[in-house]
Amino acid sequence: MSGERGIRVLTPGPLALIEDLGRSGHAAVGVSPSGALDRGALGLANRLVGNPESAAGVELLLGGFAARFETPAWFAVTGAASRLLLDGRPVDARTAVHAASGTELRVAQPAAGMRSYLAVRGGIEGESVLGSRSRDTLSGLGPPPLKAGDLLAIGAEPGTPVPAVDFVPIFEPGEAVAEVRAHRGPRADWFTPEALDAFFTVEWRVSAEGDRVGVRLDPPRTPSHAAGVEPAAPVLLERSVSRELPSEPMVAGAVQVSPDGRPTVLLADHPVTGGYPVIAVVADRSLDAFAQLRPGHAVLFRHA
C-alpha cells in the first residue's frame, strides 16, 4: 500500500474515527444516521481544502493524534481549539495547510471543546456501508477506530481549487452557558407542568456519562452555606403519567428522561427506538453544540 496517496497514523489519541455526514434514511432497518457529531466543523474543514462538505474526514476526541503524510497533501483542522504542529512548527487551525511528503502532523489536546476534525484534500477513503464511511459506535458499522500504523488512503483530487481564505471567524463556546434551542417533545404531556418549566429554566450540567450515542445531563446542586449541611437535592423531571411506555422511534436530538428524572440528549449514534418518554427534541441547528461540551459545562434549554 506504500504507493497509495495517504496518511499514516502514528498515534490515534483517545479515539479517532473516520466520519462523514452519515447514512440517513435507514431507521426502518434499525440503522442510525451516525456521522460527525459536529457536522459544521467537518463541513468547514472540507470546504477549506476544496472538498464537498460530505467528504469523509477524521474525528478526533481530545486530540493526542499524530500522523505522517506519505504523499504531499492539503489539510485543515477545525472544531475544538487544539495546537497544531507540522514537523514541529506551529500551523494555524481553520485554514488550508500544505504538507510535504514525509511531514508529521500532531494535534494536541484542545484547550476547549472535545472534538477536532481533520480533512484532507480528496477526502479519506474507507469502507462504505449503506452509502457512508462513518463509524457507528453503537452498532459497529463502518470503519473501525483508527490505530497506530493504519494507512488512510486519500481520494482523487476534487475539481474545485483550494479556496484562498486567510481567516474564518467562528463562535467558540468557552466556559459560558450553552443556550440550546429545543421543541416540546411528543411525550411532554407525560410530565408535570413544574417539570416542563424546570426543563426550560434550570441550568443543566453535562455529566461524565456521555459519548457519541448520547449525553446525560445533571441539574446543578444548590450549595448550602451551613457547615455540614448537604446541598439541596437536584431538581427532577417528575412524570404525571407513570405507566410503562412501549418502545417508539427516536431521532438525534431527542431528550429522553430516565426513571431517576435525568435527561439524556441522543446524538448521532443513537438507537432508533427507545422506551423512555421524550420531553423535548433539540433543534437541529443546536445539536452540534453537544459534540464540544465537556463534563460540567452548563446548558440552558430555550424554546425553539
Side-chain angles (χ1 to χ4, degrees):
M1 296 181 67
S2 59
E4 293 186 25
R5 301 176 63 240
I7 58 175
R8 179 81 61 182
V9 177
L10 303 177
T11 306
L15 182 64
L17 304 172
I18 296 176
E19 298 288 346
D20 54 26
L21 293 183
R23 50 177 68 83
S24 61
H26 300 288
V29 293
V31 178
S32 64
S34 194
L37 284 195
D38 191 337
R39 297 160 296 175
L42 175 63
L44 173 60
N46 276 319
R47 293 198 306 273
L48 286 169
V49 295
N51 288 341
E53 289 195 10
S54 58
V58 182
E59 180 179 276
L60 310 175
L61 177 65
L62 293 173
F65 177 84
R68 182 177 63 246
F69 289 87
E70 302 292 4
T71 51
W74 286 91
F75 73 91
V77 178
T78 60
S82 299
R83 185 166 184 256
L84 310 179
L85 296 176
L86 188 63
D87 265 4
R89 62 179 180 86
V91 294
D92 292 331
R94 301 194 296 275
T95 190
V97 179
H98 188 264
S101 178
T103 56
E104 294 184 5
L105 170 68
R106 294 188 178 274
V107 181
Q109 180 176 326
M114 292 278 286
R115 292 173 174 86
S116 303
Y117 292 83
L118 167 64
V120 181
R121 183 167 170 81
I124 300 298
E125 296 284 89
E127 177 190 7
S128 180
V129 179
L130 297 176
S132 171
R133 293 187 170 93
S134 289
R135 175 65 174 183
D136 183 332
T137 58
L138 183 63
S139 69
L141 289 178
L146 302 182
K147 63 184 186 301
D150 284 348
L151 179 68
L152 307 182
I154 300 173
E157 281 274 325
T160 54
V162 176
V165 178
D166 293 327
F167 175 71
V168 179
I170 65 165
F171 171 75
E172 294 184 354
E175 297 181 1
V177 175
E179 292 196 5
V180 175
R181 297 289 172 177
H183 305 272
R184 284 171 60 101
R187 298 296 177 182
D189 58 352
W190 279 46
F191 296 86
T192 65
E194 294 78 15
L196 283 171
D197 181 68
F199 180 80
F200 284 102
T201 56
V202 167
E203 285 189 6
W204 300 92
R205 297 278 171 177
V206 175
S207 80
E209 300 173 63
D211 54 21
R212 286 181 46 86
V213 176
V215 173
R216 296 200 77 181
L217 302 175
D218 293 320
R221 298 182 71 86
T222 304
S224 172
H225 296 290
V229 177
E230 287 293 317
V235 176
L236 296 179
L237 300 178
E238 296 185 62
R239 287 169 52 170
S240 57
V241 177
S242 58
R243 68 177 180 270
E244 291 296 316
L245 177 68
S247 290
E248 56 187 3
M250 292 290 141
V251 297
V255 184
Q256 288 188 308
V257 179
S258 53
D260 63 2
R262 295 170 63 198
T264 296
V265 181
L266 298 183
L267 301 180
D269 291 355
H270 67 88
V272 297
T273 62
Y276 294 147
V278 174
I279 192 172
V281 180
V282 174
D284 187 69
R285 67 181 184 274
S286 291
L287 194 55
D288 283 7
F290 286 95
Q292 303 297 356
L293 299 181
R294 292 188 175 189
H297 203 114
V299 176
L300 183 59
F301 291 100
R302 299 291 195 189
H303 288 280

